[in-house]
Amino acid sequence: MVDTVTGAEGWRGWRAATQAALYGVDGTGGFYRRSEGPARHFRTSVHASPLFAEAVARLLRRVDEALGRPASLDFVDMAAGRGELVTGVLAALPADVAERTRAYAVEVADRPAGLAHRIEWLPEPPPRITGLLFANEWLDNVPVEVAEIDAAGVARLVLVRDSGAERLGAPVSGAEAEWLARWWPSAGEEGQRAEIGLPRDTAWASAVSCVAGGLAVAVDYTHTADARPPYGTLTGFRDGRETAPVPNGSCDITAHVALDACAEAGATGATGAGEAAGTSRALPGARLVTQRAALRALGVTGARPPLALASTDPSAYVRALASAGEAAELTAPGGLGDFGWLLQPVGIPHPLDSLTPSIH
């Protein structure tokens, strides 16, 4: 329940509170700078199975072909954690492609010990990318403001203390109000909530603008304009369990991403990047599909091996069965398979051109 007491110190918007809780102040502190890494607290597709990195490697190869096999091919892993995805992608590439690949891990935390020297560790993506920029569960941790409808039907900013206590603040105004009206209009019912995704749109457009040629992909929990959750999605994770979002650095704080809004913002970045690269042909538009559809197009099906294999090669059957189980988890309805994949090409045809949008 929102505390409507005003005038107390220590209140701030969820965006500032989340920024400090996740990333610290002046480069120190914050949940994502802790030594154990995020994998201790939540499990992504990267941690679920090596099949995910193998699929991303296949996508990189398709981008490589669309680019005409350039002498230098970039792979950029946004929000790289401890480098698990970029390491898996490099391992899954054929030797000739791996030799031409420049690998980048973009992360606020310090470089982990033991990471391959060839992987560059950066706080921001490189300014000019020819290849694939892949952002797996990055945008959900770009901090946003939270709005709530008051008794008069007015959308107000939600303020929060480090303890997690909340109260209503000023009415939403300016660009944030415009974003709500465009992307998350409310029926005006008291207590309804929305996460104002404007900073995510800006972050995604900036990332896409770095791609001179190739593909930018954002993978995340998502919802679209025709099915926004009426009370928002803000939550926390700690030690593998969902928990209340408390902005004191003790837990992850996350909210689902309006990837349809990001797609529109990213189109500006893609157009600018294409023009900067001297691309004369028309750029194809972004596509928003489920992870299930994207991974199946990349060869991750979850099909069980034929039972006959159990008698002819039991070890191969067991391996294939385990792989099928991992693929099923990655593509499961109601789970990881419902994640959204936003694919934004720059100057190339869609590498997954057989896909039609399956999230509306």
Side-chain angles (χ1 to χ4, degrees):
M1 192 159 181
V2 172
D3 179 4
T4 56
V5 176
T6 60
E9 295 181 0
W11 298 102
R12 52 184 170 174
W14 267 105
R15 185 182 179 191
T18 302
Q19 181 70 33
L22 295 185
Y23 305 112
V25 179
D26 297 328
T28 61
F31 176 82
Y32 276 104
R33 298 182 189 274
R34 288 160 55 171
S35 60
E36 75 269 17
R40 170 182 161 182
H41 298 278
F42 55 86
R43 188 165 179 258
T44 72
S45 297
V46 178
H47 308 120
S49 171
L51 294 176
F52 189 80
E54 292 167 9
V56 176
R58 286 192 287 274
L59 180 58
L60 178 59
R61 291 175 64 187
R62 294 194 187 189
V63 172
D64 182 38
E65 292 296 332
L67 289 168
R69 297 175 58 81
S72 182
L73 177 69
D74 297 324
F75 177 69
V76 180
D77 180 10
M78 296 291 295
R82 295 301 180 264
E84 299 95 335
L85 178 60
V86 64
T87 299
V89 168
L90 287 174
L93 290 173
D96 63 314
V97 180
E99 288 173 0
R100 292 186 288 110
T101 299
R102 294 186 301 185
Y104 302 91
V106 180
E107 180 56 70
V108 297
D110 292 337
R111 183 187 183 97
L115 190 71
H117 294 297
R118 63 171 300 185
I119 299 171
E120 294 191 46
W121 194 262
L122 304 173
E124 301 287 343
R128 185 179 177 85
I129 298 164
T130 300
L132 174 61
L133 179 145
F134 199 89
N136 185 60
E137 296 195 46
W138 167 48
L139 290 172
D140 68 299
N141 289 128
V142 173
V144 295
E145 298 289 8
V146 177
E148 182 174 321
I149 304 298
D150 69 9
V154 176
R156 293 180 175 272
L157 293 175
V158 177
L159 307 182
V160 65
R161 278 179 162 168
D162 288 353
S163 65
E166 293 181 334
R167 70 172 177 87
L168 295 184
V172 180
S173 61
E176 292 175 335
E178 293 173 5
W179 190 94
L180 281 180
R182 169 71 175 85
W183 292 108
W184 202 326
S186 168
E189 179 182 332
E190 184 179 4
Q192 287 188 326
R193 286 195 168 202
E195 291 103 27
I196 305 173
L198 188 60
R200 294 168 173 179
D201 296 355
T202 302
W204 181 242
S206 177
V208 174
S209 71
C210 296
V211 182
L215 181 69
V217 180
V219 180
D220 240 309
Y221 298 98
T222 190
H223 45 63
T224 51
D226 59 345
R228 302 286 189 221
Y231 301 104
T233 61
L234 188 73
T235 192
F237 286 91
R238 182 189 297 113
D239 296 328
R241 297 178 181 272
E242 190 168 8
T243 186
V246 179
N248 61 6
S250 67
C251 66
D252 181 33
I253 298 173
T254 180
H256 294 196
V257 182
L259 283 178
D260 50 352
C262 292
E264 184 171 291
T268 302
T271 300
E275 290 174 351
T279 302
S280 59
R281 56 184 161 167
L283 297 170
R287 294 184 189 177
L288 180 54
V289 302
T290 63
Q291 174 158 297
R292 181 167 50 258
L295 289 183
R296 285 176 176 170
L298 291 166
V300 180
T301 65
R304 293 174 62 91
L307 189 57
L309 184 63
S311 57
T312 59
D313 192 340
S315 296
Y317 177 78
V318 170
R319 290 193 300 271
L321 194 62
S323 180
E326 293 173 2
E329 180 183 3
L330 290 172
T331 59
L336 294 174
D338 288 345
F339 271 53
W341 279 45
L342 171 58
L343 301 106
Q344 201 121 32
V346 179
I348 63 170
H350 276 283
L352 300 181
D353 56 7
S354 63
L355 287 178
T356 55
S358 55
I359 299 177
H360 303 285

